[in-house]
C-alpha cells in the first residue's frame, strides 16, 4: 500500500490556461496499492483538475506533442519515463512541471 | 485664380528639378561608397571572412572593457572577429541579439527577415524606429547595427527561409540563432543546422515567459530530440494572439547573445543539454536538465529518416508565419459581412450584438452597443453569463412581438472565435437559451475598422 502523496504541480508556457490560469497546484494523491506513475498522474490530473478541452493536454496515455514534462527541474525522459520511483521517493518536495514548447 | 495656378505649376516644376538633382547626387554617392547596405532577396555565396592576426589600436580601445575579462581576453576577441552568425528573425529576440553581437565585435552578421516594420512591432523590436515603418526589417536592423559598429559585416536577407534555401544559407555561417516566431520555421532551422553541423542557439518568448536552449551542440540533443512531433496547430499561440511584454523577448534575446558570444569566443555554452526558463511574473530563472541526444531521433539519430529538408508547413499543419489563419467553420448563410451589419445597425432593427473576445481586448476597444461574453464563458456554459444572455434575448423578444427568433450577431477581433461561438450558440439555441437566429460577422472588428469606420482602433 502506497501512502497518500503530496505533489506540487506547475503548469506553464500557456498550459496553465487550461487550468483557469492557475500555475501552481498543491495536491494530494490518494493512497493506492501500486506506487503512482506518470500515466496515472496524468489520468488523475485530467479527472480532477482539467475541466475543458482535454485534447489540448493529453493524447493517448501521455501529454500531447509539444508539452515537456519536468520532474524536480529535470526532463521526465531522464527518469526513463519511470516517474513512480521519483514521485514516491521525492515525497513532499516532488514538483512536476508541464511546459509547452514556445 | 489662373495666375495662381500658373505660379504653383512653375514652383512645382522647380521642385521636381531639385528632386531629380538630389536623386542623381545620392545615386553617385551610393556608387562610390560600397558600405551602403544592399538587401539580399536570395542566398548567394559569401566570400570567406577575412580575419585579422592581431587587434588594432582602435580595436583595443573599443573593446578594452571586455578584453580585461580573463574569460574573453585578446584570443577570445580575435575569435569573435572570425565568427559569422546567422540570425533568423529580426524581431523581439533578433533585435537585442544583433545589437549585442555587433557591439561585442562579431565578425559577420546575417540578418534574415521576410517582414516589414510595423508600428505594433516597435514596443519590442528595438532596433527599428518610427521612420523605418514599411521598410524591410532585415535592412532596418542592418542599418541600426552598422551605426553601432561599422566594422561588423552585415548581410540583410529579405527572404522566406525554406527547404530550398536553408541549407545553402546556413552552411555559410558558423553559428545560427533561431529568433523565429512559428513552429514550422523552428523545425526547418533545426534540421538545416543538424544537416550542416551548426550549433543552434534557440530562444522564444510569449506573454510573460521565455525559454532558451542550445541545440545540436557538442553531442547534445536537437529540437526534434525534445519534440519529435509538432504540437497540434490549434494549441499554438503566437504573439499577435497571446501578447508579449517587450522586455521579455528583450531579456531572452540578450541571453541568446550571451550564449552565442560564449560559443564564438571559444569559452563554450553550458546550455547544450539544458533548458533555461524565465518567468517574468516571479522574476525567476530555472535551469532544466534535458534528455541527451536521442538515438531514435528522426534527424540527428542513428538511423535518420530526415536526410534532406522536407515540407515543414505540411509536417506541422500550419503556415510558417505568426499571422493568424482564417478559419472557415460556417456555411455562407451563417455569416454576414461588416457592410451587412452596418445596414442592420443603421436600420435600427432589434438585434443583439455579442462580442466574444476576452475582457482585456474589450477594454482596448469595442462597439458601443455590444454585449461582452467571452468565447470561453460560452464554451464552459458559465451560469451568470448564460443568465445575462437569456435576459437580453427575452428583452428582444418583447420588443419584436410575435414568435420569430431574435437575431444575434457575433463579433470578435478577426472572425475566428466568433465562428466558434456561433457553433456553440447554435447548439444552445432552443435548449439552454430561447430560440435565436445566430450569425457571424465575417472578419470581425478589424474588418469593421478597415471597411466601415477608419477611426476604430486596430491592434
Ligand atoms: Zn535530434
Amino acid at each position: 500500500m502506497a501512502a497518500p502523496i503530496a505533489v506540487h504541480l506547475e503548469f506553464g508556457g500557456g498550459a496553465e490556461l487550461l487550468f483557469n490560469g492557475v500555475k501552481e497546484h498543491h495536491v494530494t494523491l490518494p493512497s493506492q496499492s501500486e506506487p503512482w506513475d506518470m500515466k496515472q498522474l496524468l489520468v488523475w490530473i485530467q479527472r480532477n483538475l482539467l475541466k475543458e478541452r482535454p485534447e489540448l493536454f493529453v493524447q493517448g496515455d501521455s501529454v500531447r506533442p509539444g508539452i515537456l514534462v519536468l520532474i524536480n527541474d529535470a526532463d521526465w525522459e531522464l527518469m526513463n519515463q519511470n516517474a513512480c520511483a521519483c514521485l514516491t521517493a521525492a515525497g513532499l518536495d516532488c514538483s512536476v512541471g508541464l511546459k509547452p514548447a514556445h | 485664380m489662373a495666375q495662381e495656378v500658373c505660379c504653383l505649376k512653375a514652383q512645382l516644376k522647380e521642385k521636381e528639378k531639385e528632386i531629380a538633382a538630389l536623386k542623381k547626387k545620392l545615386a553617385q554617392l551610393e556608387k562610390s561608397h560600397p558600405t551602403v547596405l544592399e538587401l539580399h532577396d536570395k542566398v548567394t555565396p559569401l566570400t570567406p571572412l577575412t580575419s585579422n592576426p592581431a587587434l588594432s589600436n582602435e580595436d583595443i580601445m573599443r573593446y578594452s572593457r571586455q578584453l580585461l575579462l580573463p574569460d574573453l581576453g585578446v584570443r577570445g576577441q580575435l575569435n569573435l572577429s572570425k565568427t559569422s552568425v546567422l540570425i533568423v528573425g529580426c524581431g523581439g529576440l533578433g533585435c537585442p541579439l544583433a545589437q549585442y553581437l555587433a557591439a561585442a565585435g562579431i565578425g559577420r552578421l546575417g540578418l534574415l527577415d521576410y517582414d516589414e516594420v510595423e508600428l505594433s512591432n516597435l514596443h519590442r523590436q528595438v532596433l527599428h524606429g518610427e521612420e523605418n515603418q514599411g521598410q524591410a526589417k532585415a535592412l532596418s536592423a542592418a542599418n541600426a547595427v552598422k551605426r553601432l559598429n561599422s566594422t561588423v559585416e552585415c548581410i540583410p536577407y529579405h527572404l522566406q527561409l525554406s527547404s530550398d534555401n536553408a541549407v545553402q544559407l546556413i552552411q555559410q555561417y558558423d553559428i545560427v540563432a533561431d529568433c523565429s516566431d512559428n513552429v514550422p520555421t523552428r523545425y526547418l532551422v533545426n534540421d538545416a543546422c543538424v544537416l550542416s553541423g551548426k550549433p543552434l542557439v534557440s530562444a522564444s518568448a510569449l506573454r510573460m515567459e521565455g525559454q532558451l536552449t542550445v541545440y545540436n551542440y557538442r553531442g547534445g540533443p536537437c529540437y526534434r530530440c525534445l519534440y519529435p512531433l509538432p504540437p497540434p496547430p490549434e494549441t499554438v499561440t503566437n504573439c499577435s494572439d497571446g501578447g508579449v511584454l517587450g522586455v521579455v523577448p528583450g531579456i531572452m534575446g540578450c541571453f541568446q547573445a550571451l550564449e552565442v558570444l560564449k560559443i564564438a569566443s571559444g569559452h563554450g555554452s553550458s546550455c547544450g543539454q539544458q533548458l533555461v526558463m524565465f518567468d517574468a511574473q516571479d522574476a525567476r530563472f530555472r535551469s532544466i536538465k534535458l534528455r541527451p541526444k536521442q538515438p531514435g531521433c528522426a534527424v540527428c539519430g542513428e538511423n535518420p529518416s530526415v536526410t534532406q529538408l522536407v515540407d515543414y508547413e505540411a509536417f506541422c499543419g500550419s503556415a510558417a508565419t505568426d499571422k493568424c489563419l482564417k478559419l472557415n467553420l460556417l456555411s455562407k448563410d451563417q455569416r454576414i459581412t461588416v457592410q451587412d451589419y452596418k445596414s442592420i445597425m443603421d436600420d435600427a432593427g432589434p438585434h443583439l450584438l455579442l462580442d466574444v473576445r476576452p475582457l482585456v481586448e474589450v477594454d482596448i476597444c469595442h462597439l458601443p452597443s455590444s454585449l461582452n461574453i467571452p468565447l470561453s464563458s460560452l464554451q464552459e456554459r458559465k451560469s451568470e453569463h448564460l443568465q445575462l444572455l437569456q435576459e437580453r434575448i427575452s428583452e428582444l423578444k418583447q420588443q419584436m412581438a410575435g414568435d420569430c427568433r431574435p437575431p444575434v450577431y457575433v463579433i470578435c477581433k478577426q472572425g475566428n472565435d466568433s465562428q466558434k461561438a456561433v457553433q456553440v450558440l447554435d447548439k444552445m439555441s432552443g435548449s439552454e437559451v430561447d430560440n435565436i437566429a445566430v450569425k457571424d460577422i465575417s472578419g470581425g472588428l478589424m474588418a469593421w475598422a478597415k471597411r466601415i469606420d477608419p477611426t476604430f482602433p486596430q491592434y
Side-chain angles (χ1 to χ4, degrees), chain B residues 31-102:
Chain B
K31 238 187 202 167
S32 58
H33 281 75
T35 51
V36 171
L37 287 164
E38 186 196 339
L39 196 54
H40 294 233
D41 58 5
K42 54 180 186 292
V43 177
T44 47
L46 300 174
T47 52
L49 200 51
T50 48
S51 64
N52 298 330
L55 296 174
S56 68
N57 283 357
E58 201 183 305
D59 290 340
I60 291 170
M61 179 72 92
R62 178 189 277 262
Y63 304 117
S64 57
R65 296 302 183 272
Q66 65 191 39
L67 286 174
L68 291 169
L69 284 174
D71 305 281
L72 189 78
V74 171
R75 184 197 295 259
Q77 188 67 51
L78 286 170
N79 285 342
L80 292 187
S81 72
K82 280 186 279 191
T83 304
S84 59
V85 180
L86 177 70
I87 297 180
V88 180
C90 301
L93 296 161
C95 282
L97 169 58
Q99 194 171 25
Y100 274 100
L101 293 185

Side-chain angles (χ1 to χ4, degrees), chain A residues 10 13 73 75 77 101-102, chain B residues 204 207 209 227 286 289 291:
Chain A
E10 262 188 86
D73 285 351
D75 188 341
E77 292 282 327
H102 282 179
Chain B
S204 63
R207 297 192 191 91
E209 286 183 38
Y227 305 106
R286 276 167 78 182
K289 177 85 178 151
R291 69 198 70 174

Side-chain angles (χ1 to χ4, degrees), chain B residues 164-177:
Chain B
D164 299 324
N165 59 25
V167 168
Q168 197 200 346
L169 179 63
I170 281 173
Q171 67 189 5
Q172 302 189 52
Y173 287 85
D174 301 314
I175 303 170
V176 179

Side-chain angles (χ1 to χ4, degrees), chain B residues 221-222 224-225 297 299-301:
Chain B
C222 80
R224 272 188 197 260
C225 291
C297 175
V299 68
C300 79

Side-chain angles (χ1 to χ4, degrees), chain B residues 111-149:
Chain B
L111 298 159
L112 184 144
D113 206 299
Y114 191 56
D115 273 341
E116 280 89 36
V117 178
E118 291 174 30
L119 188 60
S120 67
N121 300 147
L122 302 187
H123 82 116
R124 65 187 190 283
Q125 305 183 7
V126 292
L127 283 181
H128 315 303
E130 289 172 5
E131 71 281 10
N132 302 117
Q133 287 178 75
Q135 197 178 50
K137 276 186 192 175
L139 188 62
S140 164
N143 281 324
V145 158
K146 269 281 180 197
R147 272 200 299 277
L148 173 62
N149 191 342

